[in-house]
Amino acid sequence: MRIIDSHAHYDDDAFESDRYELLDRLFAGDIDKIVNIGCSVKSSYTSVALAEKYSKIFAAVGLHPDSADETDRLDEIKKLCGNKKVVAVGEIGLDYHYENHDREVQGSAFEEQLKLAAEVGLPVVIHTRDAWEDTMALLRKYRPKGVVHCFSGSAETAREIISLGMYIGFTGVVTFKNSKKAKNALSSIPHDRLLVETDCPYMAPEPNRGKRNDSGNIVYTLGAFAELMGVTRDEAAEITAQNAERLFGI
């Protein structure tokens, strides 16, 4: 089985004690490639450093909504985009879950990075939480190439995202018993537009829900993919791997 984890955060402090041992072990197994995602200027630099250390790791660089106030350093993100191991701008988007976030600042940062991605010719990795209306409005406006990661929307929204030419990524949430919405959405998506991801160290699937997540757990998520897609787990792994390679050019 050949697996590509399309969204991971191995630069996170949760991996500080065993990061390299873990990655070496994963690459000795079924994990073929990993896309490590930046969320701030700092994590974008560390994602690139990881990608330069491992031939099978690729980086995305960008400002998560939580880092939207770092737009004065977007020139650094743009410079990082020139690195041959950088394959996307992300993760970028909108997050209205917490009331203390400034929606105008987030929206401005999101738009600036959508423009940057178009300028440098890279796909985007989209984060959206409790902000579907505004997110979709900007996706319609800019029509970027890319993926909406950790999808939590409806099947109807998923179909519109696909109609815009984008991909959709699902995490271990699809293994949860109460994840009917995510399962319905996954079932409605053409196989050639699906990506599998961990979002590690977060979003661990059953039976490891609540624990630190890593790419070794992606086999459980692929089991859910296979059931919902009507294919074998190995086929689900290969389909999503080919999709990730096509989107990110890896």
Side-chain angles (χ1 to χ4, degrees), residues 60-243:
V61 297
L63 305 178
H64 182 282
D66 288 347
S67 301
D69 59 354
E70 295 184 19
T71 51
D72 60 330
R73 299 178 67 186
L74 268 182
D75 58 325
E76 295 179 65
I77 297 295
K78 182 177 179 180
K79 187 174 181 179
L80 286 173
C81 287
N83 188 293
K84 64 181 181 180
K85 293 300 294 290
V86 172
V87 297
V89 174
E91 61 188 279
I92 64 175
L94 303 172
D95 193 321
Y96 296 167
H97 186 69
Y98 299 107
E99 293 183 3
N100 62 330
H101 287 316
D102 189 318
R103 295 188 180 191
E104 287 190 13
V105 171
Q106 284 193 23
S108 176
F110 189 16
E111 285 204 72
E112 286 190 56
Q113 291 179 99
L114 287 169
K115 293 174 184 176
L116 171 61
E119 181 183 347
V120 299
L122 289 175
V124 294
V125 178
I126 302 295
H127 169 103
T128 183
R129 188 182 188 194
D130 298 340
W132 279 111
E133 184 177 349
D134 289 349
T135 298
M136 292 306 299
L138 288 171
L139 294 183
R140 293 183 199 110
K141 179 179 179 180
Y142 290 97
R143 300 184 72 90
K145 178 183 178 182
V147 56
V148 177
H149 107 96
C150 195
F151 189 76
S152 61
S154 65
E156 181 180 13
T157 300
R159 286 191 289 271
E160 182 176 3
I161 291 167
I162 297 303
S163 75
L164 293 172
M166 300 186 74
Y167 293 72
I168 298 181
F170 290 89
T171 65
V173 167
V174 293
T175 68
F176 300 168
K177 291 180 180 179
N178 63 347
S179 62
K180 184 177 179 180
K181 191 175 181 181
K183 291 175 181 176
N184 286 342
L186 195 159
S187 299
S188 74
I189 296 170
H191 292 181
D192 66 352
R193 291 288 164 170
L194 286 169
L195 298 183
V196 66
E197 60 175 270
T198 56
D199 200 16
C200 65
Y202 316 105
M203 312 301 291
E206 297 287 0
N208 294 320
R209 185 175 181 177
K211 299 179 181 178
R212 186 189 77 168
N213 196 15
D214 67 59
S215 303
N217 285 321
I218 210 166
V219 293
Y220 301 112
T221 306
L222 282 168
F225 267 63
E227 183 176 345
L228 294 164
M229 293 168 68
V231 299
T232 68
R233 190 176 65 176
D234 283 18
E235 288 171 334
E238 184 58 30
I239 289 167
T240 54
Q242 289 182 13
N243 293 345

Side-chain angles (χ1 to χ4, degrees), residues 23-52:
L23 287 167
D24 289 343
R25 186 165 67 250
L26 290 168
F27 288 132
D30 291 329
I31 304 302
D32 185 53
K33 299 182 182 80
I34 293 169
V35 182
N36 202 79
I37 311 292
C39 290
S40 64
V41 173
K42 179 182 177 182
S43 70
S44 294
Y45 277 113
T46 52
S47 290
V48 171
L50 268 178
E52 289 178 332

